[in-house]
Amino acid sequence: MSQLQNEPTTVWKDVTLLTMTEGYGLIRDGAIAAKDGKIVWLGYAQDLPEAYADAEIISGGGHYLTPGLIDCHTHLVYGGSRVTEFEKRLSSMSYEDIAREGGGILSTVRATRNTDEDMLYLSAENRLAHLQRNGVTTVEIKSGYGLDLDNELKMLRVARKLGRKPDIDVVTSFLGAHAVPPEFEGDSNGFMDYLSGEILDAVMRENLADAVDAFCENIAFNTDQIEILFTKARERGLPVKLHAEQLSNSGGTILAAEYQALSADHLECLDEEGVKYMAAAGMVAVLLPGAFYTLRDDRIPPIELFRKHAVPMAVASDSNPGSSPVLSLTLMVNMASTLFRLTPEEALAGVTRNAAQALGLHDRGILEVGRKADFALWDISHPAELAYHVGGNPCVAIVKNGVPF
Ligand code: DI6
Ligand code: FE
């Protein structure tokens, strides 16, 4: 027998499975078998084939087992802190006012430029650990606080390095078009040329990005500018996605649809026309209730229209130092339900099946033979409990590529 055929199989028993293939896909008294990092069997424990008699058996302790959670939108790598800005916002300054006076994203740009790669790694690793303890096995991380060649590459290298840890997969997005840095003040077109030329070239050379993202907003970039970047991204075969319609309806979503974007994210100000474009382009709507909550927004994304036009909804943390200092994805499942009125089932699909689609990953997000053996185990007694608790952490273990952590 070859080495490969001798690789041990592991079977989790005494679990309630939520396969998330359709609805919750609940299987009580279930079992799931993994080999070589992939799911090889799942179903009712009583139907477990004889062939698995010699497998290593792990008791799931009666817990629920879901696909490992996927956080499909984060800005986890950054220097410094924005806690003083948080205090300012409490005394009536708005996020946009703070951005206009050089705070906001630009203050994190200064701090990130002044932080070396090792320190950036350690602080991001610490934030990531919170997400992981809460069930996350795949995370997307964006650049966008460097805004020059060296510092954008530095951020993306840190994200790639985090992805070499055995218990997490990291998908990276180049978000150079996040803000205009001081050295290009008043010349956002010049900055866009630099971004979509020299910086994107270097990012591609080092294979540092899995997608290209941008911030389309009246305090950031307009659709004409983003089109330049998206054209370059497409020439190089990189998928695109967009921060769109968060603070105003700026037409970003329609542009993103024209470039077959994976997702448009935020979307509080999106109208039905934009939703139709998303549906036609097969895009995912990424909902970010942490930013909505932190900025005390009063417009919720058009959830009914996403349902009506069958646009899949993902839910993510948007973890960042300004608008969404979030460290728990199950808290986002709660907020997606409470604030955006998603059903708990929709919210859970938002951090599993639909989050995988938002990242263009077809090998995870549901429990099915052939998919990655990435699981989270939960001390709950009803699936909706994953949306019900506000804070706390019912995650008891994660499994990555078939290996328990
Ligand atoms: N939208 C966001 O929610 C973050 N960036 C973006 O384009 C905010 C980032 C920050 O405030 O630092
Ligand atoms: Fe964001």
Side-chain angles (χ1 to χ4, degrees):
M1 263 201 193
S2 77
Q3 185 70 31
L4 200 65
Q5 285 163 315
N6 278 329
E7 284 290 304
T9 303
T10 308
V11 178
W12 282 261
K13 277 178 148 175
D14 197 15
V15 284
T16 298
L17 302 177
L18 299 181
T19 65
M20 300 311 294
T21 39
E22 219 190 308
Y24 287 129
L26 187 141
I27 301 176
R28 218 172 279 292
D29 299 319
I32 187 162
K35 184 175 162 62
D36 302 329
K38 294 204 169 127
I39 298 169
V40 290
W41 188 88
L42 82 166
Y44 291 101
Q46 63 186 31
D47 299 332
L48 187 70
E50 218 21 62
Y52 295 106
D54 296 336
E56 182 196 358
I57 306 285
I58 297 181
S59 169
H63 296 312
Y64 276 64
L65 186 152
T66 67
L69 303 191
I70 299 170
D71 192 347
C72 67
H73 180 141
T74 86
H75 309 247
L76 268 187
V77 174
Y78 60 83
S81 157
R82 301 252 287 283
V83 66
T84 51
E85 178 183 311
F86 169 66
E87 288 188 309
K88 278 190 191 166
R89 272 192 289 107
L90 297 179
S91 59
S92 88
M93 268 184 94
S94 76
Y95 183 73
E96 284 142 303
D97 291 341
I98 289 170
R100 279 196 196 94
E101 71 167 31
I105 292 174
L106 288 182
S107 76
T108 300
V109 171
R110 285 190 292 278
T112 303
R113 288 178 173 181
N114 287 328
T115 305
D116 71 25
E117 210 165 303
D118 290 343
M119 277 306 296
L120 279 180
Y121 180 86
L122 288 175
S123 66
E125 184 185 39
N126 179 43
R127 289 186 281 270
L128 179 57
H130 285 274
L131 294 175
Q132 293 181 275
R133 281 195 289 273
N134 188 230
V136 170
T137 54
T138 299
V139 68
E140 185 256 18
I141 301 179
K142 303 174 193 300
S143 68
Y145 294 120
L147 307 186
D148 64 19
L149 181 66
D150 290 349
N151 289 295
E152 283 294 300
L153 296 186
K154 177 173 79 177
M155 287 187 72
L156 290 168
R157 281 192 207 109
V158 169
R160 280 279 190 248
K161 190 170 163 203
L162 288 165
R164 290 200 279 275
K165 293 162 73 73
D167 50 353
I168 189 80
D169 283 329
V170 173
V171 176
T172 60
S173 300
F174 170 53
L175 177 59
H178 196 194
V180 179
E183 60 278 15
F184 277 91
E185 203 186 328
D187 184 20
S188 54
N189 289 332
F191 181 58
M192 187 51 87
D193 288 342
Y194 171 51
L195 269 185
S196 47
E198 194 179 335
I199 305 190
L200 186 60
D201 279 345
V203 166
M204 295 298 295
R205 239 185 344 265
E206 290 195 37
N207 185 26
L208 288 174
D210 301 312
V212 168
D213 194 353
F215 189 17
C216 184
E217 197 56 66
N218 47 32
I219 55 167
F221 297 91
N222 63 38
T223 49
D224 290 345
Q225 292 169 328
I226 289 166
E227 189 153 18
I228 295 170
L229 177 68
F230 279 7
T231 305
K232 287 282 169 68
R234 191 153 69 180
E235 278 167 20
R236 289 145 189 277
L238 272 186
V240 300
K241 54 175 76 173
L242 193 63
H243 285 71
E245 282 39 278
Q246 179 187 9
L247 310 170
S248 63
N249 191 344
S250 315
T253 301
I254 293 178
L255 174 75
E258 284 164 355
Y259 284 79
Q260 278 83 45
L262 289 166
S263 68
D265 304 34
H266 285 291
L267 304 174
E268 279 81 355
C269 302
L270 187 66
D271 58 15
E272 184 158 17
E273 193 196 4
V275 176
K276 285 185 185 162
Y277 270 88
M278 290 184 76
M283 288 164 66
V284 176
V286 177
L287 309 179
L288 305 168
F292 172 90
Y293 167 82
T294 303
L295 301 180
R296 304 179 76 220
D297 204 342
D298 50 14
R299 295 150 300 195
I300 73 166
I303 306 302
E304 264 317 317
L305 294 175
F306 294 137
R307 289 184 182 127
K308 176 176 164 194
H309 295 286
V311 172
M313 293 179 279
V315 173
S317 70
D318 196 17
S319 191
N320 76 65
S323 64
S324 190
V326 168
L327 296 173
S328 159
L329 197 54
T330 53
L331 182 59
M332 297 304 98
V333 170
N334 167 266
M335 288 189 182
S337 305
T338 306
L339 299 175
F340 293 171
R341 317 309 287 172
L342 264 62
T343 65
E345 190 182 298
E346 286 173 326
L348 190 57
V351 292
T352 53
R353 183 173 72 234
N354 295 341
Q357 188 181 333
L359 296 178
L361 298 173
H362 306 293
D363 61 350
R364 66 196 76 186
I366 60 175
L367 302 178
E368 187 181 70
V369 170
R371 305 269 177 159
K372 256 177 178 293
D374 288 358
F375 314 141
L377 283 105
W378 306 94
D379 182 13
I380 54 174
S381 51
H382 188 288
E385 244 184 275
L386 290 171
Y388 168 66
H389 294 287
V390 187
N393 181 13
C395 184
V396 293
I398 60 164
V399 174
K400 182 70 187 166
N401 297 317
V403 179
F405 284 92

